Amino acid sequence: MQRLVQLALDFFGGGGVPSGRAEPPAPRGPSTAPPAAPQGGPAPAPPGNRSAGPGMPTPAPAPAPVPDARPMPVEFRHPAASREVVLGDALVAYALQRSRRRTIGFTVGPDGLAVRAPGWVSLANVDAAVREKSAWILRKLGEARERQRRQEDARIEWGDGAVLPYLGEPLTVVLDPTHGFRGQGAALVPGPDGGRCLHVGLPRAATPAQVRDAVQAWLMRDARRHFTARLEHFAPLLGVQWRTLRLSSAQTRWGSARADGSIRLNWRLLHYRPAVIDYVVAHELSHLRHMDHSPRFWDTVATVMPDYAALRDRLRDEPAPRW
């Protein structure tokens, strides 16, 4: 009878542990404990790193970080900036100067935007005026930056074979230690390919600074000669008389004139073709009749340079190389 009861219990899965068993059977449901690794095999991965088993859904990968698609704002910063304003996608830091004037004035140069405003105008109104002129300001700032980029691209590498523009044409520097030419320090010599060469009396081991200084000294002498001849040509045509000529090395101004007849011209104008130089000479001489930029002034310039507007644009759009 006892054996029949035991067989019934075994058949229906009930009862206790049969005699002779050392441990209970494994549970039927899923276990939270990791399975034992096979003898000599790798240890089981921790729960957080386990791969999905057969029949289990694959966990979704963690989302990759999304890069910031917003473009970096363009920045124009004047070295003496004291105010900042956002114009469209650009951050413009401008230099503010208080002055005795009735209106707000704007100047865009190589350094950036400079604003001159009367002392009684509030900072909020100055910023509002800058925003109102934003289209013009951003266009001019962009042109100035592009001009600087082209100047950097045209930077002269001083040494034997250096090339620079002279009267609108390429001029090749040739170091001539034998000084086989006439002239003081340097002289123009026809090149073998029909171009022009500037022979400089320096050894071939001369430093870039020595070559640059020798070329600059020659250009300044030649600029005085060329400018004097053009002043003498245009002064009678304009009915004015100039008295003195001084050479300028300014970075942003090509010339100036004073009512006493003194003229100042930038020697770097020698990089441009003769017609552009003539425009600047006629421009400054015309100031001896009209010390402003009124319509009468431009009418005076036009009497000797009818295409002055195109030449003025050429001077603005074709920057001289950086030294």
Side-chain angles (χ1 to χ4, degrees):
M1 177 61 71
Q2 183 178 0
R3 181 173 179 79
L4 291 174
V5 172
Q6 183 64 46
L7 288 173
L9 290 173
D10 289 345
F11 181 81
F12 290 103
V17 179
S19 60
R21 291 193 178 183
E23 57 184 6
R28 297 179 183 271
S31 173
T32 57
Q39 185 67 29
N49 294 331
R50 287 185 301 176
S51 301
M56 297 180 64
T58 303
V66 179
D68 191 350
R70 293 174 299 176
M72 295 296 291
V74 180
E75 184 173 312
F76 300 97
R77 184 171 297 276
H78 195 287
S82 56
R83 299 285 297 170
E84 291 184 356
V85 63
V86 176
L87 304 180
D89 294 331
L91 173 65
V92 179
Y94 64 90
L96 175 61
Q97 179 183 1
R98 297 295 188 174
S99 61
R100 294 183 177 180
R101 52 179 295 139
R102 297 181 179 180
T103 60
I104 300 175
F106 306 91
T107 303
V108 176
D111 289 335
L113 173 64
V115 180
R116 299 180 309 280
W120 52 267
V121 177
S122 68
L123 293 176
N125 286 337
V126 173
D127 288 345
V130 172
R131 292 189 183 94
E132 185 178 351
K133 283 281 188 179
S134 61
W136 180 87
I137 290 171
L138 291 176
R139 177 168 58 86
K140 290 298 182 181
L141 286 172
E143 291 174 355
R145 180 163 291 182
E146 175 63 18
R147 182 183 179 90
Q148 287 181 315
R149 186 193 65 78
R150 284 181 294 171
Q151 281 182 320
E152 289 297 332
D153 292 344
R155 186 181 290 273
I156 303 166
E157 299 293 335
W158 294 108
D160 188 40
V163 179
L164 63 149
Y166 169 72
L167 298 179
E169 300 292 338
L171 177 65
T172 303
V173 175
V174 177
L175 300 186
D176 187 352
T178 65
H179 208 285
F181 56 86
R182 291 183 179 182
Q184 179 184 355
L188 276 180
V189 176
D193 57 352
R196 287 181 290 190
C197 295
L198 181 65
H199 281 232
V200 181
L202 287 175
R204 299 192 182 278
T207 66
Q210 289 173 322
V211 178
R212 180 198 62 210
D213 293 346
V215 173
Q216 179 176 336
W218 180 85
L219 281 175
M220 293 182 74
R221 291 193 299 270
D222 197 62
R224 181 173 293 278
R225 175 196 62 79
H226 187 92
F227 296 162
T228 300
R230 303 316 291 164
L231 286 167
E232 293 290 351
H233 171 77
F234 284 108
L237 299 178
L238 291 166
V240 297
Q241 185 176 4
W242 66 280
R243 297 187 180 278
T244 60
L245 168 64
R246 293 184 180 181
L247 298 181
S248 164
S249 297
Q251 295 295 327
T252 61
R253 193 169 188 177
W254 292 116
S256 62
R258 299 180 61 178
D260 62 2
S262 60
I263 302 292
R264 186 184 293 268
L265 295 171
N266 196 316
W267 62 267
R268 290 185 176 87
L269 282 168
L270 225 58
H271 289 308
Y272 294 90
R273 61 189 180 97
V276 175
I277 300 174
D278 283 352
Y279 157 69
V280 179
V281 170
H283 182 117
E284 301 309 332
L285 286 174
S286 296
H287 275 311
L288 300 183
R289 293 181 58 180
H290 305 286
M291 297 299 293
D292 53 27
H293 288 100
S294 63
R296 292 185 305 166
F297 166 80
W298 292 112
D299 289 344
T300 301
V301 176
T303 61
V304 292
M305 301 295 296
D307 56 344
Y308 74 85
L311 296 169
R312 180 180 58 193
D313 292 343
R314 183 69 60 87
L315 183 65
R316 179 193 62 202
D317 296 337
E318 295 181 3
R322 286 190 180 274
W323 279 58

